[in-house]
Amino acid sequence: MTPRDLAERPGGPKMLTPQQVDHLIRALRVFARAEEVIGSEEEAGRWMYEPNRALQGKSPFDLLHSDAGIRKVEQILGRMELGPGA
């Protein structure tokens, strides 16, 4: 769920459910992990929004809307950290 989703909800912004909070925290951790692996906030942000071959042309950000997508992005970051051939 993006801030835009919250703003466009009927009746305006509402409290997030515990599941939505958990999902948001996990997505934020992925951004932090990308920065750690890639080395800079700017480069990590760029990587998160660029199409990725390992994700069938989708950007890592596109996959943060599901638990399975978050796991895929985390796996790719783990392989990046291990280096080529991992």
Side-chain angles (χ1 to χ4, degrees):
M1 175 161 290
T2 67
R4 182 182 205 166
D5 294 333
L6 291 173
E8 292 176 355
R9 286 174 126 182
K14 295 186 173 85
M15 295 285 292
L16 297 175
T17 66
Q19 294 85 4
Q20 290 170 324
V21 171
D22 180 61
H23 186 84
L24 179 59
I25 290 169
R26 290 182 63 208
L28 291 172
R29 284 184 183 147
V30 170
F31 271 96
R33 181 80 172 113
E35 184 178 347
E36 182 181 295
V37 170
I38 294 170
S40 80
E41 182 178 345
E42 184 177 319
E43 290 297 318
R46 188 173 298 123
W47 180 82
M48 289 295 296
Y49 289 97
E50 289 179 352
N52 189 303
R53 283 189 321 193
L55 301 173
Q56 291 74 44
K58 295 180 182 174
S59 73
F61 180 79
D62 291 337
L63 274 73
L64 297 184
H65 302 290
S66 72
D67 290 339
I70 288 173
R71 284 192 299 274
K72 276 187 174 182
V73 175
E74 289 171 332
Q75 289 171 349
I76 290 170
L77 287 168
R79 281 185 257 155
M80 289 171 62
E81 186 173 44
L82 294 173

